[in-house]
Amino acid sequence: MVTEHMAPTDSDRKDSHHVVQRFHRCIFRTLLGTDSLESLRQISEKNEKAWSKLKDRLTDRTININIVAALAVAATASFLTNPPPTDFAKWDHQFPYFCVAASNGSAMLAVISGLGLLIFLNAMDSKSIIAAQTSKFKFVILVTLLMMPLTFLATATLWAGLAWIGAVWFGDKFWIQLAVTLGCIVFLVTLFVISAALY
């Protein structure tokens, strides 16, 4: 029996293109607060007040990320250098200890990339945006730099969560395992709500 492969219709192409556009808008709104680089360029060239407010907002967000990341570095460093704080969670087991160390490293990278992003935001102007529009390489570099602080901080949070799960699991206490399981479910639901709201 021969099966026929149907070619994608114009409607299917439009739907997929619409999904890609919405994803791009979501990414740019999250990273830049605008729908695209073009809208960002227009703001920088035509509305100095709005441009100044946008840069201030991006700078404040990056500073907040750096503060949280710096606190994460201090907190994870204390876990790495001090005896386990509880007896129902095995923080000295290899897996949670490794996760805490990875969280510490990710938080450090968030701080470093955040400082780099602050330097870039202070120097950013319409020429920087035009360069990113005309050069694929500079576009990738710009988007990567914008993503790095938040991505590294999210990675540090993920490693810290895995450390909690590992320490509790190897601690072999049912009630605390149940509490962590419920916490993971709440986390996944929260992540879904945030993603749905942004998309």
Side-chain angles (χ1 to χ4, degrees):
M1 182 176 179
V2 180
T3 58
E4 295 184 0
H5 297 281
M6 297 186 64
T9 63
D10 290 339
S11 178
D12 293 334
R13 293 191 185 95
K14 288 180 180 179
D15 290 341
S16 62
H17 182 65
H18 181 64
V19 170
V20 172
Q21 282 186 326
R22 290 186 63 182
F23 178 73
H24 284 174
R25 283 200 301 269
C26 175
I27 293 297
F28 276 104
R29 285 175 182 173
T30 303
L31 298 178
L32 289 171
T34 60
D35 290 340
S36 64
L37 281 177
E38 179 62 25
S39 60
L40 185 65
R41 184 184 64 81
Q42 291 177 0
I43 293 174
S44 67
E45 291 179 343
K46 299 178 181 179
N47 194 331
E48 185 176 348
K49 187 176 181 180
W51 173 244
S52 178
K53 285 184 177 180
L54 179 60
K55 287 184 66 174
D56 289 342
R57 189 165 68 245
L58 292 173
T59 300
D60 290 342
R61 186 187 69 175
T62 305
I63 290 173
N64 290 334
I65 292 175
N66 273 19
I67 292 173
V68 174
L71 292 174
V73 170
T76 52
S78 67
F79 267 82
L80 293 173
T81 56
N82 292 317
T86 59
D87 58 355
F88 58 80
K90 296 292 184 181
W91 289 104
D92 54 350
H93 192 277
Q94 290 181 358
F95 177 75
Y97 191 87
F98 169 80
C99 290
V100 172
S103 179
N104 179 269
S106 298
M108 287 183 182
L109 291 173
V111 173
I112 295 171
S113 58
L115 291 175
L117 181 55
L118 285 174
I119 294 172
F120 172 78
L121 289 174
N122 287 330
M124 184 174 65
D125 54 15
S126 59
K127 292 181 180 179
S128 304
I129 302 168
I130 293 173
Q133 285 181 302
T134 56
S135 171
K136 191 72 173 179
F137 174 75
K138 290 186 177 180
F139 173 79
V140 172
I141 292 297
L142 172 60
V143 173
T144 302
L145 179 60
L146 290 168
M147 289 177 61
M148 286 174 73
L150 189 59
T151 301
F152 282 131
L153 183 59
T155 303
T157 304
L158 178 62
W159 280 117
L162 289 174
W164 263 106
I165 294 171
V168 168
W169 199 259
F170 290 113
D172 200 23
K173 296 288 185 179
F174 175 75
W175 66 272
I176 193 68
Q177 289 176 350
L178 180 61
V180 170
T181 301
L182 293 175
C184 291
I185 294 173
V186 173
F187 169 76
L188 292 175
V189 172
T190 303
L191 192 62
F192 171 77
V193 172
I194 294 173
S195 300
L198 289 174
Y199 187 74

mmCIF file of all heavy atoms in Angstrom, residues 47-66:
data_model
loop_
_atom_site.group_PDB
_atom_site.id
_atom_site.type_symbol
_atom_site.label_atom_id
_atom_site.label_comp_id
_atom_site.label_asym_id
_atom_site.label_seq_id
_atom_site.Cartn_x
_atom_site.Cartn_y
_atom_site.Cartn_z
ATOM 1 N N ASN A 47 12.948 58.867 19.802
ATOM 2 C CA ASN A 47 12.356 59.226 21.093
ATOM 3 C C ASN A 47 13.420 59.103 22.178
ATOM 4 O O ASN A 47 13.613 58.033 22.751
ATOM 5 C CB ASN A 47 11.151 58.309 21.391
ATOM 6 C CG ASN A 47 10.297 58.837 22.536
ATOM 7 O OD1 ASN A 47 10.793 59.506 23.438
ATOM 8 N ND2 ASN A 47 9.009 58.534 22.492
ATOM 9 N N GLU A 48 14.079 60.212 22.427
ATOM 10 C CA GLU A 48 15.202 60.177 23.372
ATOM 11 C C GLU A 48 14.741 59.864 24.791
ATOM 12 O O GLU A 48 15.417 59.139 25.535
ATOM 13 C CB GLU A 48 15.915 61.535 23.353
ATOM 14 C CG GLU A 48 17.168 61.570 24.222
ATOM 15 C CD GLU A 48 17.910 62.886 24.103
ATOM 16 O OE1 GLU A 48 17.575 63.669 23.185
ATOM 17 O OE2 GLU A 48 18.812 63.117 24.924
ATOM 18 N N LYS A 49 13.569 60.372 25.170
ATOM 19 C CA LYS A 49 13.058 60.124 26.521
ATOM 20 C C LYS A 49 12.733 58.642 26.717
ATOM 21 O O LYS A 49 13.108 58.030 27.732
ATOM 22 C CB LYS A 49 11.821 60.976 26.771
ATOM 23 C CG LYS A 49 11.305 60.910 28.200
ATOM 24 C CD LYS A 49 10.137 61.856 28.405
ATOM 25 C CE LYS A 49 9.637 61.802 29.846
ATOM 26 N NZ LYS A 49 8.477 62.731 30.057
ATOM 27 N N ALA A 50 12.025 58.051 25.744
ATOM 28 C CA ALA A 50 11.676 56.631 25.833
ATOM 29 C C ALA A 50 12.933 55.768 25.788
ATOM 30 O O ALA A 50 13.021 54.740 26.467
ATOM 31 C CB ALA A 50 10.724 56.245 24.700
ATOM 32 N N TRP A 51 13.915 56.179 24.984
ATOM 33 C CA TRP A 51 15.172 55.452 24.892
ATOM 34 C C TRP A 51 15.917 55.463 26.224
ATOM 35 O O TRP A 51 16.443 54.441 26.673
ATOM 36 C CB TRP A 51 16.031 56.072 23.799
ATOM 37 C CG TRP A 51 17.425 55.547 23.673
ATOM 38 C CD1 TRP A 51 18.586 56.214 23.871
ATOM 39 C CD2 TRP A 51 17.815 54.215 23.314
ATOM 40 N NE1 TRP A 51 19.673 55.409 23.660
ATOM 41 C CE2 TRP A 51 19.219 54.173 23.308
ATOM 42 C CE3 TRP A 51 17.107 53.063 22.989
ATOM 43 C CZ2 TRP A 51 19.939 53.029 23.002
ATOM 44 C CZ3 TRP A 51 17.824 51.918 22.684
ATOM 45 C CH2 TRP A 51 19.210 51.907 22.688
ATOM 46 N N SER A 52 15.931 56.609 26.882
ATOM 47 C CA SER A 52 16.592 56.723 28.177
ATOM 48 C C SER A 52 15.893 55.856 29.224
ATOM 49 O O SER A 52 16.549 55.165 30.025
ATOM 50 C CB SER A 52 16.603 58.183 28.625
ATOM 51 O OG SER A 52 17.204 58.323 29.893
ATOM 52 N N LYS A 53 14.561 55.858 29.197
ATOM 53 C CA LYS A 53 13.807 55.036 30.157
ATOM 54 C C LYS A 53 14.045 53.549 29.912
ATOM 55 O O LYS A 53 14.179 52.767 30.863
ATOM 56 C CB LYS A 53 12.307 55.346 30.052
ATOM 57 C CG LYS A 53 11.901 56.674 30.665
ATOM 58 C CD LYS A 53 10.390 56.853 30.600
ATOM 59 C CE LYS A 53 9.962 58.153 31.277
ATOM 60 N NZ LYS A 53 8.480 58.342 31.221
ATOM 61 N N LEU A 54 14.103 53.163 28.642
ATOM 62 C CA LEU A 54 14.325 51.766 28.308
ATOM 63 C C LEU A 54 15.703 51.308 28.773
ATOM 64 O O LEU A 54 15.862 50.229 29.359
ATOM 65 C CB LEU A 54 14.181 51.544 26.804
ATOM 66 C CG LEU A 54 14.401 50.125 26.290
ATOM 67 C CD1 LEU A 54 13.400 49.164 26.924
ATOM 68 C CD2 LEU A 54 14.299 50.071 24.772
ATOM 69 N N LYS A 55 16.723 52.138 28.539
ATOM 70 C CA LYS A 55 18.075 51.789 28.985
ATOM 71 C C LYS A 55 18.141 51.706 30.506
ATOM 72 O O LYS A 55 18.784 50.807 31.055
ATOM 73 C CB LYS A 55 19.080 52.812 28.458
ATOM 74 C CG LYS A 55 19.369 52.712 26.972
ATOM 75 C CD LYS A 55 20.442 53.693 26.541
ATOM 76 C CE LYS A 55 21.777 53.374 27.146
ATOM 77 N NZ LYS A 55 22.860 54.244 26.618
ATOM 78 N N ASP A 56 17.459 52.630 31.174
ATOM 79 C CA ASP A 56 17.439 52.594 32.642
ATOM 80 C C ASP A 56 16.772 51.324 33.146
ATOM 81 O O ASP A 56 17.234 50.711 34.120
ATOM 82 C CB ASP A 56 16.709 53.827 33.190
ATOM 83 C CG ASP A 56 17.498 55.110 33.000
ATOM 84 O OD1 ASP A 56 18.719 55.027 32.760
ATOM 85 O OD2 ASP A 56 16.886 56.199 33.079
ATOM 86 N N ARG A 57 15.683 50.926 32.477
ATOM 87 C CA ARG A 57 14.975 49.713 32.897
ATOM 88 C C ARG A 57 15.842 48.473 32.698
ATOM 89 O O ARG A 57 15.911 47.603 33.573
ATOM 90 C CB ARG A 57 13.666 49.580 32.125
ATOM 91 C CG ARG A 57 12.777 48.464 32.645
ATOM 92 C CD ARG A 57 11.360 48.580 32.123
ATOM 93 N NE ARG A 57 11.293 48.335 30.694
ATOM 94 C CZ ARG A 57 10.951 49.239 29.784
ATOM 95 N NH1 ARG A 57 10.660 50.474 30.152
ATOM 96 N NH2 ARG A 57 10.897 48.921 28.504
ATOM 97 N N LEU A 58 16.517 48.396 31.552
ATOM 98 C CA LEU A 58 17.402 47.264 31.289
ATOM 99 C C LEU A 58 18.585 47.244 32.257
ATOM 100 O O LEU A 58 18.998 46.187 32.741
ATOM 101 C CB LEU A 58 17.914 47.318 29.849
ATOM 102 C CG LEU A 58 16.875 47.076 28.744
ATOM 103 C CD1 LEU A 58 17.495 47.329 27.369
ATOM 104 C CD2 LEU A 58 16.321 45.666 28.822
ATOM 105 N N THR A 59 19.109 48.426 32.562
ATOM 106 C CA THR A 59 20.224 48.520 33.501
ATOM 107 C C THR A 59 19.801 48.096 34.903
ATOM 108 O O THR A 59 20.518 47.341 35.577
ATOM 109 C CB THR A 59 20.777 49.960 33.529
ATOM 110 O OG1 THR A 59 21.226 50.328 32.221
ATOM 111 C CG2 THR A 59 21.944 50.076 34.504
ATOM 112 N N ASP A 60 18.631 48.581 35.343
ATOM 113 C CA ASP A 60 18.139 48.208 36.674
ATOM 114 C C ASP A 60 17.901 46.703 36.775
ATOM 115 O O ASP A 60 18.205 46.083 37.801
ATOM 116 C CB ASP A 60 16.842 48.960 36.986
ATOM 117 C CG ASP A 60 17.062 50.445 37.204
ATOM 118 O OD1 ASP A 60 18.225 50.835 37.459
ATOM 119 O OD2 ASP A 60 16.090 51.219 37.108
ATOM 120 N N ARG A 61 17.354 46.110 35.708
ATOM 121 C CA ARG A 61 17.110 44.668 35.724
ATOM 122 C C ARG A 61 18.423 43.895 35.825
ATOM 123 O O ARG A 61 18.532 42.930 36.592
ATOM 124 C CB ARG A 61 16.365 44.243 34.464
ATOM 125 C CG ARG A 61 15.956 42.783 34.465
ATOM 126 C CD ARG A 61 15.382 42.362 33.142
ATOM 127 N NE ARG A 61 16.402 42.341 32.093
ATOM 128 C CZ ARG A 61 16.183 41.908 30.856
ATOM 129 N NH1 ARG A 61 14.980 41.504 30.504
ATOM 130 N NH2 ARG A 61 17.160 41.901 29.963
ATOM 131 N N THR A 62 19.423 44.345 35.075
ATOM 132 C CA THR A 62 20.717 43.672 35.115
ATOM 133 C C THR A 62 21.379 43.822 36.479
ATOM 134 O O THR A 62 21.989 42.877 36.993
ATOM 135 C CB THR A 62 21.645 44.236 34.016
ATOM 136 O OG1 THR A 62 20.987 44.139 32.753
ATOM 137 C CG2 THR A 62 22.940 43.455 33.950
ATOM 138 N N ILE A 63 21.245 45.000 37.085
ATOM 139 C CA ILE A 63 21.797 45.207 38.430
ATOM 140 C C ILE A 63 21.121 44.269 39.434
ATOM 141 O O ILE A 63 21.787 43.670 40.290
ATOM 142 C CB ILE A 63 21.630 46.678 38.851
ATOM 143 C CG1 ILE A 63 22.559 47.571 38.027
ATOM 144 C CG2 ILE A 63 21.918 46.855 40.334
ATOM 145 C CD1 ILE A 63 22.351 49.056 38.259
ATOM 146 N N ASN A 64 19.798 44.131 39.322
ATOM 147 C CA ASN A 64 19.071 43.231 40.224
ATOM 148 C C ASN A 64 19.536 41.781 40.052
ATOM 149 O O ASN A 64 19.687 41.040 41.034
ATOM 150 C CB ASN A 64 17.570 43.328 39.978
ATOM 151 C CG ASN A 64 16.989 44.654 40.429
ATOM 152 O OD1 ASN A 64 17.539 45.300 41.323
ATOM 153 N ND2 ASN A 64 15.893 45.071 39.833
ATOM 154 N N ILE A 65 19.743 41.374 38.795
ATOM 155 C CA ILE A 65 20.240 40.023 38.541
ATOM 156 C C ILE A 65 21.615 39.843 39.173
ATOM 157 O O ILE A 65 21.908 38.806 39.785
ATOM 158 C CB ILE A 65 20.291 39.745 37.028
ATOM 159 C CG1 ILE A 65 18.872 39.665 36.451
ATOM 160 C CG2 ILE A 65 21.045 38.449 36.733
ATOM 161 C CD1 ILE A 65 18.834 39.518 34.937
ATOM 162 N N ASN A 66 22.473 40.866 39.048
ATOM 163 C CA ASN A 66 23.818 40.780 39.627
ATOM 164 C C ASN A 66 23.767 40.670 41.148
ATOM 165 O O ASN A 66 24.545 39.921 41.756
ATOM 166 C CB ASN A 66 24.641 42.005 39.226
ATOM 167 C CG ASN A 66 25.329 41.811 37.891
ATOM 168 O OD1 ASN A 66 24.936 40.953 37.105
ATOM 169 N ND2 ASN A 66 26.344 42.603 37.621
#
